[in-house]
Amino acid sequence: MGVSSHPDQTDTFLAVRPRLFAVAYRMLGTVSDAEDILQEAFLRWQSAPVSEIRDATGYLVRITTRLCLDQLKSARARRETYPGEWLPEPLLTEESTERLDHDVSVALLLALERLTPLERAAFLLHDVFDSSYEEVAAALGRSIGTCRQLAARARRNVQQARPRAPVPAEEGQEITLAFFHAAKTGDTGSLARLLSKDVRLISDGGGKVMAALNPIKGLDRVVRLLEGISRKTGAEPPRQWRHCVLNGLPAILSREPDGILQATSVEIRDGLITHIYVTRNPDKTAHLVQALPLPE
């Protein structure tokens, strides 16, 4: 690397790092890319004229945002040719930490995917991280008026994805565990009672492992899919699994019979599951391996 930093400079970066991760993860939707961005931001911070910088947090947020905008240009091109459905990388949100102080729901992250990179950045900085329009303009290199318009357009597009009242943790765990057991054992009766009529199942295999290429919509189709998978895999829960919270949603991490680490999270409304998100792409679950219990 060849660049050294003063201890105070490193301490400043580490203090702001949780906020920078929060910005980068919401901008990019991937844990690995967010971590790479933070490494690059730290390298740039090491060579920055720190004595001339009055607002270290603002400076570091600007660096991170601009790096994310560059990354999004290539990321959007890759996602246009992504095989099947794209889901954000699941993020464990069980511990209350500063980096998780705002909504990271799958619904919001998917809604952000529909925005242009500049709209996404303006919305996140202003509406999610409470930056002033002056700060947003400085980060994006655009006028204040332009940033207001970018954020307003983005706000209209993500309105539907804003988080509803969270389901109590106990209720979420109970419903998720019941769903997991019913899906793995092929209990179609229980599945029908747990799922809403307009339930949607989205799975992401990244073209590397088996997954549905398109969303599965409607109670009957989702139940048939889950029952069929159960028959093929032996109609019993996997040996390695645990309940957890991913992106603020009750979820299950499991080592499936085919050896794949699978992350399954659910959205619940009025006691019924409305959305099921299944991430099977090994590149997106690798960082969750340590969260899975060892086999008995």
Side-chain angles (χ1 to χ4, degrees), residues 136-249:
V136 177
L140 302 188
R142 298 293 191 277
S143 70
I144 292 174
T146 296
C147 291
R148 285 182 187 277
Q149 292 175 348
L150 288 168
R153 282 203 301 270
R155 201 173 299 124
R156 288 194 296 271
N157 281 320
V158 302
Q159 202 73 35
Q160 300 285 336
R162 297 319 293 265
R164 297 183 175 87
V167 175
E170 241 178 71
E171 180 188 352
Q173 180 171 346
E174 182 181 342
I175 292 173
T176 305
L177 291 175
F179 164 73
F180 179 64
H181 185 267
K184 294 304 179 185
T185 59
D187 183 349
T188 56
S190 293
L191 285 171
R193 289 191 292 273
L194 289 164
L195 306 178
S196 68
K197 288 184 179 180
D198 57 353
V199 63
R200 289 168 61 95
L201 184 150
I202 300 175
S203 59
D204 178 346
K208 302 188 176 193
V209 298
M210 289 291 291
L213 290 176
N214 298 298
I216 310 300
K217 305 173 188 177
L219 177 60
D220 291 342
R221 293 187 66 200
V222 170
V223 168
R224 282 201 305 272
L225 173 72
L226 295 174
E227 194 271 335
I229 293 173
S230 171
R231 271 191 285 106
K232 289 178 183 175
T233 56
E236 60 181 34
R239 292 184 180 179
Q240 266 184 291
W241 67 274
R242 62 162 288 206
H243 175 269
C244 61
V245 180
L246 295 172
N247 297 84
L249 298 175

Side-chain angles (χ1 to χ4, degrees), residues 18-289:
R19 184 178 181 86
L20 302 181
F21 177 87
V23 171
Y25 176 70
R26 287 164 180 80
M27 281 285 288
L28 303 173
T30 63
V31 175
S32 52
D33 286 343
E35 295 288 1
D36 288 345
I37 289 292
L38 263 59
Q39 276 193 314
E40 179 62 28
F42 180 61
L43 290 175
R44 297 196 181 195
W45 174 243
Q46 286 179 306
S47 58
V50 176
S51 59
E52 301 171 20
I53 297 170
R54 283 191 261 179
D55 177 12
T57 299
Y59 184 87
L60 285 165
V61 168
R62 286 197 295 276
I63 291 175
T64 301
T65 302
R66 288 169 182 169
L67 289 169
C68 286
L69 287 171
D70 290 340
Q71 177 81 6
L72 274 176
K73 292 172 187 174
S74 58
R76 286 173 73 86
R78 289 199 306 272
R79 285 171 201 172
E80 285 174 4
T81 58
Y82 193 82
E85 292 296 307
W86 182 91
L87 288 173
E89 280 188 20
L91 182 66
L92 276 169
T93 54
E94 294 173 311
E95 296 180 12
S96 177
T97 66
E98 185 186 343
R99 76 174 188 172
L100 308 174
D101 59 354
H102 295 288
D103 179 38
V104 286
S105 70
V106 179
L108 177 61
L109 292 171
L110 288 176
L112 292 174
E113 282 295 301
R114 299 194 293 268
L115 306 178
T116 68
L118 285 173
E119 287 172 346
R120 189 168 184 160
F123 171 77
L124 287 171
L125 292 176
H126 183 265
D127 285 39
V128 177
F129 294 105
D130 302 319
S131 298
S132 68
Y133 278 117
E134 288 80 3
E135 292 169 321
V136 177
L140 302 188
R142 298 293 191 277
S143 70
I144 292 174
T146 296
C147 291
R148 285 182 187 277
Q149 292 175 348
L150 288 168
R153 282 203 301 270
R155 201 173 299 124
R156 288 194 296 271
N157 281 320
V158 302
Q159 202 73 35
Q160 300 285 336
R162 297 319 293 265
R164 297 183 175 87
V167 175
E170 241 178 71
E171 180 188 352
Q173 180 171 346
E174 182 181 342
I175 292 173
T176 305
L177 291 175
F179 164 73
F180 179 64
H181 185 267
K184 294 304 179 185
T185 59
D187 183 349
T188 56
S190 293
L191 285 171
R193 289 191 292 273
L194 289 164
L195 306 178
S196 68
K197 288 184 179 180
D198 57 353
V199 63
R200 289 168 61 95
L201 184 150
I202 300 175
S203 59
D204 178 346
K208 302 188 176 193
V209 298
M210 289 291 291
L213 290 176
N214 298 298
I216 310 300
K217 305 173 188 177
L219 177 60
D220 291 342
R221 293 187 66 200
V222 170
V223 168
R224 282 201 305 272
L225 173 72
L226 295 174
E227 194 271 335
I229 293 173
S230 171
R231 271 191 285 106
K232 289 178 183 175
T233 56
E236 60 181 34
R239 292 184 180 179
Q240 266 184 291
W241 67 274
R242 62 162 288 206
H243 175 269
C244 61
V245 180
L246 295 172
N247 297 84
L249 298 175
I252 298 287
L253 277 181
S254 58
R255 179 72 68 183
E256 295 299 300
D258 58 6
I260 295 299
L261 176 59
Q262 179 171 300
T264 306
S265 55
V266 298
E267 284 184 21
I268 299 167
R269 187 170 65 245
D270 299 328
L272 295 174
I273 294 172
T274 60
H275 291 79
I276 305 163
Y277 303 109
V278 182
T279 305
R280 289 174 52 78
N281 184 342
D283 294 341
K284 294 187 176 183
T285 57
H287 65 287
L288 297 173
V289 169

